[in-house]
Every structure is written in C-alpha cells, then in structure tokens.
Amino acid sequence: MATTSTSTGDIKKTKSVEVKKKLNVLIVDDDTVIRKLHENIIKSIGGISQTAKNGEEAVNIHRDGNASFDLILMDKEMPERDGLSKLREMKVTSMIIGVTTLADNEEERKAFMEAGLNHCLAKPLSKAKILPLINNLMDA
Amino acid sequence: MQRQVALIKQSLFDQGYLDEQFIELEELQDDANPNFVEEVATLYFKDSARLISNIEQALERGSFDFNRLDNYMHQFKGSSTSIGASKVKTECTMFREYCRVGNAEGFLTIPYLRRVQMFEDFQATEERARNVEKEA
C-alpha cells in the first residue's frame, strides 16, 4: 500500500508508506534515543534493521559476514570514528547515508560525499525525509 | 480525560517545550508499536539524567574541560532534537557556544543561570510528560 507525502506535516497517520523493496538497514549512532527512533522509522517504512553504537561495531558486524545490508544510516557526528573509510576499504556495497546537522552546508556535503557517502540527510531524521530518498536511490 | 491530556500536550507546544519533531514520534506510534512514544521518552529521560549527572560532576570539579563538556552537550542536544525537546535543545546550543570559546567566566555567571534554567526546563518537561502518561 502506498500513498505519497509531500512534506513532514502532510503525513497521514492512518496509512503506511513503505519502500518498494524490503530493506535491511544498519543504523550506526552513539545515541540510544536516536538508534531507537531510526529503528522505528525503518520499521515503519517496511524495513528491518540492526544497530551499532559506533564505527568499530559497524565494521565488526560486516567482518562477521552474517548480514548483508542494503543501507547504512550513519551518524556523521560521533566522537569516535564512524567507520566510513574502513567500510569502503572493505568494499562494502551498501548504500551509506550520513545523518548530520551539516547536511545543508555545501562544503561539508561535498567532503562527506568525497569520503564515501552516497547521500546526506539533516538531523533529526523523519519518515518523510528518508522515504523519497531511499526510493530514488533504489531506482537509480 | 483525553481532552485534559490533549490540553496538557498543547501547552507543552505553546510554551516551546516541544516542537514538531514530537509529532513525528507520535506519527510512528501505531498498532505494531503502541507504546513507542513512551518507550522513546523513557529512554531519553534515563539517558539525559546520566548526561546531566556527568555535566554536574564536571562542573563541580572547578577546572573546566570544555571539550568534555561540549561532548556531553552534543549528546544531550542530539537526543533532545530527536525527541522534540525544543527548549532543552536551545539551551544545549547556548552551552556549546560557551564551551567553544572556552568562556569559563561566562560559564560561571550568565551561563550558570542558563544552566540552571536548562535543568529546570528539563525537569519541567519530564514532570509534565509523566503527568501526561498518568492521565492517559
């Protein structure tokens, strides 16, 4: 079932909006509240998720090789290393979306993309922000 | 009863304690996740209590480690932004500015008042949210 939403305020509570394919997402964030929020956002759009508290955990999850992720949602403002460069070294093919307060800063966006991100989204994340982006990236 | 809850909630928005991000949380609550808002709020209060305790301890030591304080504030601001705790988010932003410029004197005077205000705002938000829970 799918309806479209044009902006954050227009989401209808009674209808669910889902991605076109069931996604497996790795959520990398050092904040428990944000991990829970992102988990639920992914669930609400029909995906499943696993979480990591930092880059090291994210890298270890990939090293274990038990899971393959369509998408990695990565907090770009963690005090510890977020693992992006390591994940790219490991030739991880997942799409990686950085979540940051600096998403609107053109220079920072460029730096993030050059570092290996596929896209940036501004904090705080919402269903309305992520759903169109995921569908566009999946179509590409 | 539901009307009372709605009025309390509206007053939290009107007084700037909550912003539209809280509505996003409510939108995520459904039959599959009937207690989502309560779960997130509980996590937030638990985590925030820990952060505030760390901040208080750091301030009591007297010699300010601005990097550490800024790190705590960054965390607090991040989770406050995600839950829609608008006033707390604003106070965290101000605190971070003082940390960035290493303004120890300012930290002790006006920021102290802001610091107290932030904690009071946080406690007020927590208390009101718990009242909303009890009423519901």
Side-chain angles (χ1 to χ4, degrees), chain B residues 29-44:
Chain B
Q29 183 159 293
D30 56 18
D31 291 338
N33 297 284
N35 302 313
F36 175 65
V37 177
E38 183 188 342
E39 287 169 9
V40 171
T42 302
L43 260 179
Y44 172 69

Side-chain angles (χ1 to χ4, degrees), chain A residues 6-72:
Chain A
T6 55
S7 66
T8 302
D10 294 343
I11 295 171
K12 302 288 182 195
K13 190 177 179 180
T14 54
K15 297 196 176 175
S16 66
V17 186
E18 297 190 347
V19 288
K20 295 168 189 175
K21 128 183 188 188
K22 194 174 188 76
L23 289 180
N24 189 8
V25 180
L26 176 62
I27 295 161
V28 188
D29 202 298
D30 59 339
D31 189 282
T32 48
V33 174
I34 295 174
R35 285 200 302 275
K36 179 137 184 104
L37 171 65
H38 291 180
E39 270 186 302
N40 213 280
I41 289 174
I42 296 303
K43 193 173 173 181
S44 75
I45 60 174
I48 56 173
S49 64
Q50 199 170 331
T51 61
K53 289 197 285 290
N54 51 48
E56 186 182 344
E57 263 190 41
V59 168
N60 289 340
I61 286 169
H62 277 88
R63 273 215 185 99
D64 288 346
N66 293 328
S68 154
F69 299 101
D70 301 294
L71 173 66
I72 300 174

Side-chain angles (χ1 to χ4, degrees), chain B residues 9-91:
Chain B
K9 193 168 74 175
Q10 187 58 48
S11 78
L12 289 173
F13 280 100
D14 292 343
Q15 292 177 71
Y17 285 102
L18 295 177
D19 61 28
E20 63 277 1
Q21 181 63 18
F22 190 78
I23 298 173
E24 291 289 334
L25 297 188
E26 291 183 310
E27 294 285 342
L28 289 169
Q29 183 159 293
D30 56 18
D31 291 338
N33 297 284
N35 302 313
F36 175 65
V37 177
E38 183 188 342
E39 287 169 9
V40 171
T42 302
L43 260 179
Y44 172 69
F45 290 136
K46 186 177 167 189
D47 219 39
S48 301
R50 174 186 61 84
L51 281 169
I52 289 173
S53 174
N54 289 343
I55 292 164
E56 281 182 318
Q57 284 174 29
L59 292 172
E60 277 164 14
R61 280 185 212 121
S63 57
F64 298 125
D65 181 343
F66 289 109
N67 281 340
R68 188 187 290 263
L69 282 167
D70 184 56
N71 190 30
Y72 291 143
M73 281 300 162
H74 167 74
Q75 292 178 54
F76 200 4
K77 183 183 170 184
S79 51
S80 300
T81 303
S82 294
I83 199 172
S86 181
K87 271 200 181 185
V88 179
K89 178 181 79 174
T90 302
E91 296 293 336

